[in-house]
Amino acid sequence: MKVDDIKTITVVGAGTMGHGIAEVAAVAGYKVYLADIKKEILDNALEKIKWSLSKLAEKGMLRDSVEAVMERITPIVNLDENGNYTEEFAKVLKETDVMIEAIIERLDLKQKLFAYADQHAPEHAILATNTSSLPITEIAAATKRPEKVIGMHFFNPPPLMPLVEVIRGEKTSDETVETIMALAKKFGKQPVLVKKDVPGFIVNRILGRFLNTGCHLVAKGLATIEEVDAAVRYVLGLPMGIFELSDYSGIDVFYYVFTAMKERGFNITPCPLYEEKFKAKEYGMKTGKGFYTYPAPGKYARPNIPKELAGKVDPVLILAPAVNEAAWLLRNDVASKEDIDKAVKLGLGWPKGVFEFADEYGLDKIVEALRKLKTDLGLEEMEPDPLLVEKVQKGELGRKTGKGFYEYGEVEEIKKNTIIIRKEKPIAWVILNRPRKYNALSPELLKELGEALDELEDDDDVRVVILKGEGRAFSAGADVTAFAGVTPISVAKFSRRFQELTLKMQFYTKPIIVALHGYVLGGGLEIAMSGDIRIASEDAMLGQPEINLGFIPGAGGTQRLPRLVGRGRAKELIFTGDMIPAREAEKIGLVDKVVPPERLDQEARALALKIAEKPPLALMAAKYAIEYGLESNIWAGLALEAHLFGLLFSTEDVIEGVTAFLEKRKPKFKGR
């Protein structure tokens, strides 16, 4: 049967998923029968459908009237008082082209339904199940048409969630797969194909690893609930933290789904905290208490998760098992990498696909994290998948090598006398490369740094620049050996040229992220303060020690430091020449974020890639409005802001941004 032959769809089960699927089918123009065991359930379902349709109509998202859509849905009671299927249900099945089952997750009940549908539905009819955890093949075994049985897994709520997992059973035919993929598109959904009938399909397998890992970290005392959720929400940028999501969706729901998956061969060691909460009947928001506490049962209030906890847990530790599971799915040809990434983005609301995250953080870091988890948690299931190990051995580490799960183009590296320029489009690294001298700033280094910035500014493929130091320091300051025998005039010229470089950075047309570690002193700190965002490792020591040598900062330190930390604190640092650790620097506003040393590069890269997705012209305008505005008065600053705001409306990027928003897709900005 082809998709154009489908006229009538029967949805069995009028619960949350069932009535949502019925609504989707009716909106798409199909004649729909909605079946359940009691009239009261059906009446309630119809009321909810009508309410949902009215909301869609208010937003202009409904092509037909609410009444016209409702007329396409016919409620049917499918069980009599003795628990037998009704004659009316049999008649409905006889005119059904596609049945979509959405009843309780019990294999025996589903098999009973499919056996009955197989007897009464026409020969051409396709029988689909919305199961989230049970094998399609086992459900199909109850019928004489296993080639026409398929999984069609919607996500809650079906009218709003764009993803549908289409799951092939062992005997599902190509024609059935093709028809249901096309039907999902007719529903306005984006289907992904699960080519093999594995427990949990795509989304629940990856989600299971993700949730379970965060939970194990807490259970082992390696992190707190809030620290894990802060890393997930604020660093990875996911809509909800692990425990926040568990409470919102229902701890009981995840407990049942993951238990069913494990019983069918999914290699997972369930975190004991889920079972504890389940047995205590603390299911989350629905009961008023789960991992967090809520105002009342069923009343949601978003948990307060302090942003300052975001750096306490390495997000790669939480992410790595999800990547490992995705690698297993890909290696075993369960789904394509594109469909796996689409599934987590559309089904879980992740800002990036799981493979995109892996490439961004580095596959070597993913493998390291898995081996650490295997040791720390004592879980054999954390063994890195052979596909990941193979890619690391080949040097396919992700963006930083130009190839991982995806290809990003060749990484271009240019080595000068004192710096290294590495282009990982759309970002570029400029690395101070005098490690034996703690990257002391010589006239040659400053000249090469300025030239590199000029070159990268003209490269349209580079959207963000990251500045860092090689070896054990960012920069310990100016190379004092270069000042032997110099005159006051020559030193003043050096200072002036150094100031020109820091001004170039401050008013550069592209964002500059400065990654700081080790010593960040004197001229090194002055360069750092000229960047837009400063990320420091926990081992960084910052200061302006020039006073100890008899002079003062000469490249903007006396001006930028008080602008960042206030006059009094700036004077104290300059007058005493003392160094302060990164955490103290963060408290006074000298650096913006502090991370463990091993995460410095990945945090800088992740932020740079996030910024690089934004419109280049708007980034430049925002930077200019801030920097020039702060150097003038508020009236001049506001005038500049208004001018730039208006000017941006003449750009192609604004048209692309608005269009993408309306079309609910990710914009592709070109800087035009």
Side-chain angles (χ1 to χ4, degrees):
M1 182 176 64
K2 303 298 183 184
V3 71
D4 291 338
D5 298 326
I6 299 172
K7 308 298 179 188
T8 303
I9 293 172
T10 297
V11 179
V12 184
T16 301
M17 296 302 294
H19 75 66
I21 295 168
E23 178 183 338
V24 167
V27 168
Y30 292 96
K31 179 180 180 181
V32 179
Y33 287 106
L34 178 59
D36 212 309
I37 60 175
K38 290 182 180 179
K39 182 177 182 300
E40 293 81 6
I41 296 174
L42 291 165
D43 290 343
N44 184 49
L46 291 173
E47 282 298 316
K48 288 180 177 178
I49 292 172
K50 188 173 183 180
W51 176 87
S52 175
L53 291 172
S54 67
K55 293 299 179 183
L56 294 176
E58 287 174 10
K59 296 176 182 177
M61 298 170 65
L62 207 58
R63 185 175 50 198
D64 302 319
S65 69
V66 172
E67 292 72 22
V69 175
M70 290 298 296
E71 285 176 4
R72 297 182 189 129
I73 304 173
T74 303
I76 296 292
V77 175
N78 65 342
L79 287 183
D80 61 23
E81 294 177 355
N82 298 317
N84 299 315
Y85 290 114
T86 62
E87 289 187 18
E88 190 177 14
F89 184 47
K91 290 178 183 177
V92 164
L93 287 172
K94 289 185 188 301
E95 60 173 291
T96 296
D97 298 312
V98 174
M99 180 188 83
I100 304 175
E101 166 270 312
I103 65 174
I104 190 170
E105 289 285 87
R106 273 181 51 184
L107 182 61
D108 59 332
L109 295 180
K110 290 181 189 289
Q111 288 178 327
K112 179 183 176 183
L113 170 62
F114 273 71
Y116 187 80
D118 183 42
Q119 293 172 17
H120 294 87
E123 192 176 315
H124 70 267
I126 292 174
L127 308 179
T129 172
N130 180 58
T131 183
S132 60
S133 60
L134 299 174
I136 311 304
T137 305
E138 290 184 36
I139 295 171
T143 75
K144 295 177 181 178
R145 62 176 91 189
E147 74 283 356
K148 292 186 179 295
V149 177
I150 194 168
M152 197 176 187
H153 179 217
F154 290 78
F155 287 75
N156 191 27
L160 299 180
M161 293 295 283
L163 181 69
V164 173
E165 288 179 318
V166 176
I167 307 103
R168 182 195 286 272
E170 285 182 11
K171 296 183 179 179
T172 307
S173 69
D174 291 343
E175 182 183 48
T176 299
V177 170
E178 182 182 327
T179 300
I180 293 301
M181 290 286 285
L183 179 63
K185 291 176 183 176
K186 289 265 190 181
F187 283 177
K189 302 302 178 184
Q190 296 189 45
V192 294
L193 178 59
V194 184
K195 294 182 275 187
K196 294 181 180 178
D197 188 10
V198 297
F201 315 135
I202 299 173
V203 171
N204 278 334
R205 289 183 77 97
I206 291 173
L207 180 62
R209 295 291 184 206
F210 191 69
L211 298 186
N212 205 48
T213 303
C215 184
H216 272 300
L217 289 172
V218 173
K220 282 282 186 178
L222 300 174
T224 67
I225 287 172
E226 291 80 6
E227 286 170 352
V228 168
D229 277 1
V232 171
R233 195 201 282 183
Y234 303 122
V235 182
L236 293 177
L238 273 55
M240 287 185 170
I242 282 174
F243 299 97
E244 186 181 6
L245 175 62
S246 300
D247 277 1
Y248 185 79
S249 299
I251 293 168
D252 55 330
V253 173
F254 288 127
Y255 178 79
Y256 284 127
V257 169
F258 297 149
T259 299
M261 288 165 57
K262 181 175 174 60
E263 288 172 352
R264 283 165 175 81
F266 184 47
N267 180 24
I268 190 169
T269 306
C271 173
L273 300 185
Y274 279 104
E275 186 173 5
E276 288 174 15
K277 290 292 179 184
F278 176 78
K279 288 182 175 178
K281 297 185 178 180
E282 295 176 355
Y283 301 149
M285 183 259 293
K286 69 173 76 172
T287 59
K289 185 179 181 183
F291 292 109
Y292 297 99
T293 302
Y294 300 88
K299 187 172 183 180
Y300 180 68
R302 192 162 200 194
N304 178 31
I305 302 170
K307 196 168 185 177
E308 56 267 24
L309 297 178
K312 301 292 185 180
V313 180
D314 185 354
V316 178
L317 287 175
I318 305 170
L319 184 67
V323 175
N324 209 36
E325 189 60 42
W328 184 92
L329 290 168
L330 181 61
R331 181 171 57 84
N332 287 279
D333 196 32
V334 175
S336 68
K337 68 181 179 217
E338 291 80 11
D339 273 359
I340 292 170
D341 271 357
K342 183 197 286 188
V344 298
K345 286 190 280 190
L346 298 182
L348 298 176
W350 287 19
K352 296 182 178 70
V354 64
F355 292 128
E356 291 171 336
F357 266 126
D359 279 357
E360 186 175 298
Y361 281 111
L363 303 192
D364 53 335
K365 298 296 183 184
I366 297 293
V367 169
E368 286 175 18
L370 287 167
R371 287 172 175 156
K372 178 175 173 57
L373 287 167
K374 184 179 176 182
T375 301
D376 293 350
L377 300 180
L379 300 176
E380 288 299 319
E381 65 218 51
M382 297 297 175
E383 178 67 29
D385 187 85
L387 178 58
L388 288 175
V389 175
E390 179 187 351
K391 284 188 169 294
V392 171
Q393 289 173 345
K394 287 181 178 179
E396 297 176 1
L397 308 182
R399 281 187 175 272
K400 59 187 172 186
T401 59
K403 184 178 182 182
F405 284 104
Y406 297 98
E407 293 194 19
Y408 302 93
E410 189 175 345
V411 173
E412 180 184 353
E413 188 166 290
I414 304 165
K415 195 167 185 178
K416 305 276 189 178
N417 287 336
T418 63
I419 65 169
I420 298 170
I421 304 167
R422 186 165 67 234
K423 296 181 182 178
E424 299 174 12
K425 298 174 183 178
I427 66 175
W429 299 75
V430 179
I431 305 165
L432 309 183
N433 191 34
R434 299 184 75 201
R436 291 184 179 178
K437 293 197 172 185
Y438 294 94
N439 298 319
L441 304 171
S442 65
E444 183 183 22
L445 187 151
L446 296 178
K447 180 173 180 291
E448 288 187 348
L449 178 55
E451 290 171 348
L453 290 173
D454 289 341
E455 176 192 328
L456 295 172
E457 194 165 35
D458 292 333
D459 189 335
D460 291 337
D461 291 327
V462 173
R463 300 280 181 91
V464 182
V465 174
I466 303 173
L467 183 62
K468 63 168 286 190
E470 190 65 68
R472 293 189 293 167
F474 173 74
S475 173
D479 187 350
V480 293
T481 62
F483 296 114
V486 296
T487 65
I489 292 298
S490 61
V491 173
K493 288 179 180 178
F494 174 81
S495 175
R496 178 61 185 161
R497 287 171 187 152
F498 200 162
Q499 289 173 351
E500 288 172 357
L501 173 64
T502 58
L503 283 168
K504 178 184 290 187
M505 290 177 61
Q506 183 178 353
F507 297 101
Y508 200 61
T509 56
K510 298 176 180 180
I512 297 177
I513 297 170
V514 191
L516 307 171
H517 75 289
Y519 291 123
V520 187
L521 305 175
L525 181 56
E526 289 171 304
I527 284 179
M529 289 190 291
S530 305
D532 296 302
I533 300 170
R534 286 164 291 283
I535 303 176
S537 75
E538 291 171 335
D539 66 356
M541 296 294 293
L542 300 87
Q544 298 278 192
E546 292 88 346
I547 202 82
N548 297 321
L549 298 178
F551 53 96
I552 65 172
T558 63
Q559 304 304 303
R560 291 192 177 88
L561 190 57
R563 283 168 167 77
L564 288 171
V565 305
R567 288 186 183 183
R569 199 73 173 92
K571 287 177 180 177
E572 180 185 346
L573 289 171
I574 292 172
F575 290 175
T576 64
D578 289 344
M579 293 185 292
I580 60 172
R583 290 291 181 193
E584 185 177 344
E586 182 185 30
K587 288 178 182 177
I588 65 174
L590 186 52
V591 301
D592 303 296
K593 188 176 185 180
V594 178
V595 299
E598 67 274 11
R599 283 168 43 198
L600 181 60
D601 282 7
Q602 75 185 43
E603 293 281 354
R605 180 183 284 108
L607 179 59
L609 289 170
K610 183 176 183 179
I611 294 172
E613 294 176 350
K614 309 304 178 185
L617 296 176
L619 287 172
M620 180 178 68
K623 181 171 177 176
Y624 274 24
I626 293 168
E627 294 296 342
Y628 282 108
L630 288 174
E631 297 304 326
S632 60
N633 57 67
I634 192 168
W635 308 112
L638 289 172
L640 176 62
E641 178 184 89
H643 174 72
L644 293 170
F645 180 75
L647 192 61
L648 287 170
F649 273 78
S650 67
T651 66
E652 292 180 20
D653 278 354
V654 164
I655 297 172
E656 166 64 10
V658 173
T659 304
F661 175 78
L662 295 174
E663 294 176 355
K664 296 183 178 179
R665 61 174 173 82
K666 194 173 185 177
K668 295 181 180 179
F669 297 113
K670 297 179 180 177
R672 294 202 293 261

